[in-house]
Amino acid sequence: MADKIPLKIFNDLRNDPAFADFGWKYFEVICVKPSPYYNKWINRGEARLNPWKMECTCEQYESQSVRYVKGDIRGFCKHLLSWNINSNKKIVKNSLLNLLLENQLKHGPENIIKNEIEGKEIYFGFQTGKEWVNIYINESGWKRFSYNIKTGRWAFNAGPERERLFNTLNF
């Protein structure tokens, strides 16, 4: 069984050359607490899931969930992600977390860094070895912007309204 990654620290990215200049000391672990009130299993094709307990019987969940602490969204399979995004019975009611889950369903798990620039809470999401960084910022609601650290450009030429906040970072 693989070692579980401890809360608040994600050690394997600290030496990633793409992010070496950031100087950030820790990585956020975004977790969802299972509901103590419900314990219902739902059939979804070849898999059975219990979205209230954040569990599934599929191979993807079995392989990913052993790497992370219970509730860490990086351990969620496509069934849990899909349920939360598409169901009218959403378990997660937080708009930032829903945005993170939607992105994970499309592009895979991200490692998240939480930072504050000029008093604004900002989350950076990335995958080791990838040149794109997702920036989650609250601009009249949480939004995601993608920035390519190698080419120095925003995806679709669409950066955040407060793009100047990022001029202080060494992308």
Side-chain angles (χ1 to χ4, degrees), residues 94-113:
N94 177 302
S95 60
L96 170 61
L97 190 50
N98 280 316
L99 193 57
L100 291 166
L101 293 174
E102 284 176 26
N103 188 66
Q104 181 171 324
L105 182 61
K106 292 176 188 171
H107 304 290
E110 291 183 296
N111 302 298
I112 304 295
I113 295 174

Side-chain angles (χ1 to χ4, degrees), residues 136-151:
Y136 300 90
I137 187 167
N138 195 343
E139 292 185 338
S140 302
W142 285 98
K143 296 177 183 166
R144 176 179 65 91
F145 300 94
S146 297
Y147 186 81
N148 188 302
I149 59 175
K150 289 190 179 175
T151 62

